[in-house]
Protein backbone atom coordinates (compact mmCIF):
# COMPACT_ATOMS: atom_id res chain seq x y z
CA UNK A 1 0.00 0.00 0.00
CA UNK A 2 2.79 2.41 0.94
CA UNK A 3 4.69 1.53 -2.24
CA UNK A 4 1.55 2.01 -4.29
CA UNK A 5 0.99 5.46 -2.78
CA UNK A 6 4.63 6.34 -3.44
CA UNK A 7 4.30 5.29 -7.08
CA UNK A 8 1.06 7.27 -7.39
CA UNK A 9 2.82 10.33 -5.95
CA UNK A 10 5.66 9.96 -8.43
CA UNK A 11 3.24 9.60 -11.33
CA UNK A 12 1.34 12.72 -10.21
CA UNK A 13 4.58 14.70 -9.98
CA UNK A 14 5.63 13.53 -13.44
CA UNK A 15 2.22 14.45 -14.83
CA UNK A 16 2.26 17.92 -13.23
CA UNK A 17 5.78 18.58 -14.54
CA UNK A 18 5.75 21.61 -16.85
CA UNK A 19 2.25 22.56 -15.80
CA UNK A 20 1.29 25.78 -14.10
CA UNK A 21 -0.03 24.62 -10.72
CA UNK A 22 -1.93 26.46 -8.05
CA UNK A 23 -1.83 30.21 -7.39
CA UNK A 24 -3.83 33.03 -5.75
CA UNK A 25 -6.34 33.26 -8.61
CA UNK A 26 -6.91 29.50 -8.58
CA UNK A 27 -7.42 29.66 -4.83
CA UNK A 28 -9.95 32.47 -5.25
CA UNK A 29 -11.79 30.48 -7.95
CA UNK A 30 -11.86 27.38 -5.74
CA UNK A 31 -13.34 29.41 -2.88
CA UNK A 32 -15.96 30.89 -5.24
CA UNK A 33 -16.77 27.35 -6.43
CA UNK A 34 -17.17 26.04 -2.87
CA UNK A 35 -19.32 28.98 -1.77
CA UNK A 36 -21.49 28.68 -4.90
CA UNK A 37 -21.92 24.91 -4.43
CA UNK A 38 -23.08 25.52 -0.87
CA UNK A 39 -25.39 28.39 -1.84
CA UNK A 40 -26.79 26.42 -4.78
CA UNK A 41 -28.67 24.35 -2.20
CA UNK A 42 -30.85 27.44 -1.81
CA UNK A 43 -30.27 29.17 -5.15
CA UNK A 44 -30.00 26.49 -7.87
CA UNK A 45 -28.90 29.12 -10.42
CA UNK A 46 -25.48 29.31 -8.72
CA UNK A 47 -24.61 25.71 -9.56
CA UNK A 48 -23.38 26.40 -13.12
CA UNK A 49 -21.25 29.28 -11.76
CA UNK A 50 -19.68 26.88 -9.27
CA UNK A 51 -18.90 24.42 -12.08
CA UNK A 52 -17.39 27.13 -14.29
CA UNK A 53 -15.21 28.41 -11.42
CA UNK A 54 -14.09 24.87 -10.58
CA UNK A 55 -13.29 23.95 -14.19
CA UNK A 56 -11.49 27.25 -14.74
CA UNK A 57 -9.42 26.72 -11.60
CA UNK A 58 -8.49 23.17 -12.70
CA UNK A 59 -7.78 24.27 -16.25
CA UNK A 60 -5.37 26.92 -14.93
CA UNK A 61 -3.62 24.40 -12.68
CA UNK A 62 -3.07 21.85 -15.46
CA UNK A 63 -2.28 24.40 -18.14
CA UNK A 64 1.09 24.24 -19.91
CA UNK A 65 0.85 27.85 -21.08
CA UNK A 66 2.66 29.16 -18.01
CA UNK A 67 3.34 32.63 -19.42
CA UNK A 68 -0.34 33.31 -20.04
CA UNK A 69 -1.33 31.99 -16.59
CA UNK A 70 1.28 34.28 -14.98
CA UNK A 71 -0.20 37.26 -16.82
CA UNK A 72 -3.67 36.34 -15.53
CA UNK A 73 -2.22 36.09 -12.03
CA UNK A 74 -0.58 39.53 -12.33
CA UNK A 75 -3.84 41.09 -13.55
CA UNK A 76 -5.71 39.45 -10.66
CA UNK A 77 -3.18 40.64 -8.05
CA UNK A 78 -3.23 44.16 -9.50
CA UNK A 79 -7.02 44.22 -9.38
CA UNK A 80 -7.26 42.99 -5.79
CA UNK A 81 -4.41 45.32 -4.79
CA UNK A 82 -6.30 48.32 -6.22
CA UNK A 83 -9.44 47.16 -4.44
CA UNK A 84 -7.61 46.90 -1.11
CA UNK A 85 -6.02 50.32 -1.61
CA UNK A 86 -9.35 51.92 -2.44
CA UNK A 87 -10.93 50.32 0.61
CA UNK A 88 -8.10 51.54 2.83
CA UNK A 89 -8.41 55.10 1.46
CA UNK A 90 -12.15 55.16 2.12
CA UNK A 91 -11.50 53.98 5.65
CA UNK A 92 -8.95 56.78 6.17
CA UNK A 93 -11.32 59.36 4.67
CA UNK A 94 -13.98 58.30 7.14
CA UNK A 95 -11.49 58.37 10.03
CA UNK A 96 -10.24 61.89 9.10
CA UNK A 97 -13.63 63.30 8.07
CA UNK A 98 -13.63 65.97 10.82
CA UNK A 99 -10.01 67.11 10.50
CA UNK A 100 -9.03 66.66 6.85
CA UNK A 101 -10.32 66.87 3.32
CA UNK A 102 -9.27 64.66 0.40
CA UNK A 103 -8.85 65.91 -3.15
CA UNK A 104 -7.80 64.11 -6.26
CA UNK A 105 -4.98 65.72 -8.20
CA UNK A 106 -6.45 66.64 -11.63
CA UNK A 107 -3.26 65.81 -13.54
CA UNK A 108 -1.86 62.64 -11.91
CA UNK A 109 -5.00 61.32 -10.11
CA UNK A 110 -3.07 61.04 -6.84
CA UNK A 111 -5.08 61.58 -3.64
CA UNK A 112 -4.12 64.62 -1.56
CA UNK A 113 -5.00 65.06 2.10
CA UNK A 114 -5.27 68.63 3.42
CA UNK A 115 -6.32 69.99 6.83
CA UNK A 116 -9.91 71.20 7.08
CA UNK A 117 -11.03 74.74 7.95
CA UNK A 118 -8.10 76.69 6.43
CA UNK A 119 -10.26 78.57 3.91
CA UNK A 120 -9.16 78.97 0.29
CA UNK A 121 -5.74 77.33 -0.13
CA UNK A 122 -3.43 76.41 -2.96
CA UNK A 123 -2.45 72.76 -2.82
CA UNK A 124 0.75 71.52 -4.46
CA UNK A 125 0.72 67.87 -5.45
CA UNK A 126 3.84 66.16 -4.02
CA UNK A 127 3.98 63.72 -6.93
CA UNK A 128 3.62 65.89 -10.06
CA UNK A 129 4.05 69.37 -8.46
CA UNK A 130 0.77 70.42 -10.07
CA UNK A 131 -1.25 73.09 -8.23
CA UNK A 132 -4.93 73.28 -7.45
CA UNK A 133 -6.96 75.77 -5.40
CA UNK A 134 -9.65 74.45 -3.10
CA UNK A 135 -11.71 75.62 -0.19
CA UNK A 136 -11.11 73.47 2.90
ZN1 LIG B 1 -0.41 65.30 -9.08
Amino acid sequence: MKRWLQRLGEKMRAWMYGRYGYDELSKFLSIIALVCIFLSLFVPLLYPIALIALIWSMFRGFSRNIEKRQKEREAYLKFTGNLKQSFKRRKNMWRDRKTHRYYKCPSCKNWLRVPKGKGQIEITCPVCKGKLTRKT
Side-chain angles (χ1 to χ4, degrees), residues 105 107-108 110 125 127-128:
C105 173
S107 41
C108 74
N110 188 43
C125 172
V127 177
C128 68

Side-chain angles (χ1 to χ4, degrees), residues 105-107 112 122-125 128-134:
C105 173
S107 41
L112 311 166
E122 192 181 61
I123 307 159
T124 308
C125 172
C128 68
K129 310 292 175 210
K131 290 187 191 311
L132 62 152
T133 312
R134 291 286 186 278

Side-chain angles (χ1 to χ4, degrees), residues 39-104:
L39 291 177
S40 70
L41 293 172
F42 315 104
V43 189
L45 262 173
L46 288 172
Y47 194 69
I49 294 171
L51 276 183
I52 289 167
L54 197 67
I55 289 167
W56 189 12
S57 168
M58 285 169 73
F59 163 77
R60 293 191 77 249
F62 298 144
S63 170
R64 288 184 191 273
N65 193 346
I66 289 171
E67 200 180 311
K68 204 169 175 191
R69 299 290 88 77
Q70 278 171 342
K71 277 192 181 142
E72 287 170 358
R73 175 179 177 265
E74 272 166 34
Y76 168 75
L77 289 179
K78 195 178 165 202
F79 175 73
T80 52
N82 287 346
L83 220 64
K84 276 180 199 163
Q85 232 174 23
S86 154
F87 192 75
K88 196 175 166 193
R89 193 184 56 246
R90 275 165 214 279
K91 205 177 115 189
N92 288 344
M93 278 175 166
W94 179 250
R95 185 197 61 203
D96 303 338
R97 68 191 181 282
K98 284 177 184 155
T99 55
H100 292 82
R101 270 182 181 272
Y102 283 78
Y103 293 109
K104 203 173 203 174

